[in-house]
Amino acid sequence: INDGFKPDLVTYNTLLSLYANTGNIQAGKHIHYLIQKQQLLTYTNCKDFDFTVSCLIKLYASCGDIRTARQVFDNSLQLKGFMFDISVYNTMISCYAWHGCGYEALELFQNICNNGDILPNKSTFASILNACSHALLPDKALECIKMMHDQFGIIPDVMHHTCVTDALGRAGRLAEAEAYIQTMTDRNEITWMSFLGACRLHGDLERGKKAAEQIFLLWPEKTSSYVLLGNLYASKGLFLERDSIRKAMEGSGLKKIPGMSWIYIDGRVHKFVVADETHPDSVRINEKIKELYECIKLAGFKPITSFVLKNVKEDMLEKELCGHSEKLAIAFGFLKTGMDLKSEEIVVYKNLRVCGDCHEATKWISKVTGRIIKVRDSRRWHHFQGGQCSCCDSW
């Protein structure tokens, strides 16, 4: 650009996708500014218009700003004369799903159904079913998959049926979810992983063991299934069984994927791993974690030590939990932005599913500090505010 080269939308779309994946909102906003400066989105008939709008929606949603994502959708829709390709609607619905905004997703889905110029496709239904699952709307999921076939003549595949199973399971309707799986002509490892996650969430050990057996057959190298089953055993106080799961995983030559979290401060990324002491501010970060932990324990928080899968002495369990990467990133966020209620939101990204203790601790931190904390894990966005999480503890 400094040499006079003017990138086109293809180049910008690539960068937008990159910054969306990494959560670099400042760099992404700069690309958005350059697109507007070059007036590239004024040519509404160009083939890249809809794709660029989708990339912009994903950028903001991927960085925790679902409101701006919707503003981009609405402004671009008006600019193009209310004639988006279905793919843009799918993107917006999937982003709503990611953030747990089920009713907003359903409203947009209904707009599609009422519009005679565009028709939903398989991706649309996958997105809306996922939204129903994340928002704990199992009955809506059942309605949608019925509508898929009866009203639009689209045959649901294993992905759609798995979303329904997930919706039923998250809502605690495990018997229905299990029965639904049995009606599926095709089921895969994702189906059983979804069901195992629901069993872990609601503490159903027997069904969880059955699901794990299927996963071990279909997907023996999937380490997260061992972790979920181990956590399920630990939640029941069955620590010997938990340890046997860990040993079985190690005996198979499998290693748990290391957790990593990152946060952007003043446009610079700061990465953390478990018990990380390599950061230049590690001493102050650990002090801030201790400070926050003492505050939330005084307020009523109790560490959930069952989420420590490996063998650790009782007096070291809490220290082990304090070293989790997302806690380090959150503590660093407070360290750099202060404790002022008017300070900016703390936004953290994690490569794995957030653990139960970190999730509970973050709820309490948001309560005692009055700050909004957003965490993007491998499954969804978590918006913590006032001691509550947008996922309703069903992630």
Side-chain angles (χ1 to χ4, degrees):
I1 294 176
N2 292 335
D3 294 333
F5 170 71
K6 285 189 177 182
D8 57 12
L9 282 179
V10 175
T11 304
Y12 285 139
N13 291 340
T14 302
L15 291 171
L16 288 171
S17 298
L18 171 65
Y19 297 138
N21 289 336
T22 58
N24 193 340
I25 187 60
Q26 287 194 12
K29 283 182 175 180
H30 182 62
I31 298 300
H32 191 182
Y33 163 76
L34 291 176
I35 292 172
Q36 292 174 319
K37 184 180 179 181
Q38 292 180 225
Q39 298 184 331
L40 293 178
L41 284 184
T42 58
Y43 303 100
T44 54
N45 291 325
C46 74
K47 63 180 181 179
D48 293 315
F49 182 90
D50 285 357
F51 186 68
T52 301
V53 172
S54 291
C55 288
L56 286 167
I57 292 170
K58 287 179 184 177
L59 168 73
Y60 289 103
S62 297
C63 296
D65 192 351
I66 191 66
R67 289 184 180 179
T68 301
R70 181 56 193 255
Q71 288 173 4
V72 169
F73 176 89
D74 289 337
N75 293 341
S76 302
L77 183 63
Q78 186 175 10
L79 181 64
K80 203 181 178 190
F82 302 95
M83 287 296 292
F84 268 154
D85 182 77
I86 187 61
S87 62
V88 186
Y89 284 92
N90 294 348
T91 299
M92 191 68 243
I93 292 173
S94 66
C95 288
Y96 273 141
W98 206 10
H99 285 263
C101 303
Y103 289 104
E104 292 86 345
L106 283 166
E107 181 181 10
L108 189 56
F109 175 71
Q110 193 60 51
N111 290 343
I112 297 171
C113 295
N114 294 338
N115 187 331
D117 296 323
I118 54 174
L119 292 172
N121 57 23
K122 280 195 170 187
S123 295
T124 313
F125 279 99
S127 297
I128 193 61
L129 289 168
N130 195 30
C132 291
S133 175
H134 282 299
L136 299 181
L137 300 170
D139 290 325
K140 289 293 183 182
L142 290 168
E143 289 177 18
C144 287
I145 201 162
K146 186 175 187 299
M147 179 192 302
M148 182 179 180
H149 179 267
D150 294 353
Q151 185 172 336
F152 295 98
I154 303 173
I155 306 300
D157 59 27
V158 65
M159 174 178 60
H160 300 98
H161 288 304
T162 295
C163 286
V164 175
T165 301
D166 194 51
L168 291 167
R170 282 179 193 269
R173 291 158 60 169
L174 295 174
E176 288 180 69
E178 186 177 35
Y180 192 93
I181 292 174
Q182 298 306 318
T183 67
M184 293 168 60
T185 55
D186 186 22
R187 56 188 81 96
N188 59 20
E189 61 275 9
I190 305 297
T191 308
W192 291 111
M193 275 296 297
S194 169
F195 189 56
L196 175 57
C199 294
R200 190 277 314 166
L201 178 64
H202 296 286
D204 193 323
L205 180 58
E206 292 307 312
R207 286 192 172 97
K209 286 162 62 177
K210 292 178 183 178
E213 288 173 2
Q214 294 297 321
I215 299 166
F216 295 153
L217 288 172
L218 296 169
W219 205 357
E221 71 278 9
K222 186 65 175 176
T223 57
S224 58
S225 58
Y226 290 89
V227 174
L228 283 172
L229 184 58
N231 287 336
L232 183 51
Y233 276 125
S235 69
K236 299 295 185 181
L238 301 172
F239 298 109
L240 289 176
E241 287 80 355
R242 178 201 62 183
D243 293 343
S244 70
I245 290 295
R246 177 181 57 82
K247 291 177 181 177
M249 184 173 71
E250 293 174 351
S252 300
L254 301 175
K255 291 185 179 180
K256 184 178 179 292
I257 299 172
M260 183 180 71
S261 299
W262 61 99
I263 184 172
Y264 287 88
I265 301 292
D266 296 327
R268 182 185 172 193
V269 65
H270 298 263
K271 298 179 181 180
F272 301 90
V273 295
V274 177
D276 199 338
E277 295 185 356
T278 62
H279 194 280
D281 286 319
S282 61
V283 174
R284 296 172 63 205
I285 291 170
N286 287 325
E287 290 174 352
K288 179 57 70 174
I289 288 179
K290 291 178 181 178
E291 176 190 332
L292 291 170
Y293 237 60
E294 289 304 315
C295 287
I296 62 177
K297 285 199 295 184
L298 286 172
F301 167 73
K302 294 182 180 179
I304 309 174
T305 57
S306 62
F307 282 95
V308 179
L309 188 58
K310 60 186 179 182
N311 282 328
V312 178
K313 291 182 179 180
E314 188 68 28
D315 58 347
M316 294 294 289
L317 286 171
E318 188 172 318
K319 183 179 179 181
E320 178 75 21
L321 291 168
C322 284
H324 283 192
S325 64
E326 54 265 59
K327 290 193 180 83
L328 296 174
I330 290 170
F332 183 68
F334 275 101
L335 192 64
K336 290 300 181 181
T337 62
M339 303 293 284
D340 190 343
L341 292 178
K342 295 182 180 179
S343 298
E344 61 192 86
E345 300 172 343
I346 292 176
V347 183
V348 171
Y349 304 87
K350 183 175 172 65
N351 67 326
L352 302 176
R353 177 184 171 278
V354 64
C355 92
D357 180 77
C358 289
H359 189 271
E360 189 67 17
T362 307
K363 284 165 55 180
W364 281 91
I365 291 171
S366 74
K367 181 177 182 178
V368 300
T369 63
R371 294 283 293 278
I372 296 174
I373 304 171
K374 295 180 180 179
V375 178
R376 187 186 85 185
D377 69 5
S378 61
R379 299 294 301 274
R380 59 168 295 150
W381 272 97
H382 302 264
H383 296 242
F384 298 95
Q385 185 174 12
Q388 303 295 322
C389 180
S390 58
C391 76
C392 299
D393 300 336
S394 63
W395 79 108

